[in-house]
Amino acid sequence: MFVICLDGLAEGEALNHILAAIRSRLANDPEEERLVTREELRRLARGRLARTLRGAGLHSGT
């Protein structure tokens, strides 16, 4: 299983991004994959936080 953040991608780009990410990550050793997964989770959390702040009338400044 892979965690892949698609935030900021146009709908038409999502499938290509997913396929490229899977291809590039299949050869990762477990430690390298943990690092990549952590970064993807950070991107997801950052995007959700930004959307939550915007919904509350605040902005994240990024």
Side-chain angles (χ1 to χ4, degrees):
M1 174 175 21
F2 294 103
V3 174
I4 300 173
C5 180
L6 301 176
D7 287 355
L9 293 176
E11 270 188 57
E13 298 174 353
L15 180 58
N16 286 336
H17 181 80
I18 291 168
L19 293 174
I22 290 171
R23 275 190 225 105
S24 72
R25 291 169 63 183
L26 281 173
N28 287 356
D29 62 52
E31 182 57 32
E32 186 175 6
E33 184 56 29
R34 276 191 286 277
L35 294 172
V36 173
T37 298
R38 261 186 250 151
E39 181 56 32
E40 292 295 302
L41 288 169
R42 268 194 287 278
R43 289 181 60 213
L44 285 166
R46 203 174 308 131
R48 289 180 182 179
L49 180 58
R51 284 189 297 279
T52 298
L53 292 175
R54 278 194 302 272
L58 304 171
H59 57 79
S60 65
T62 58

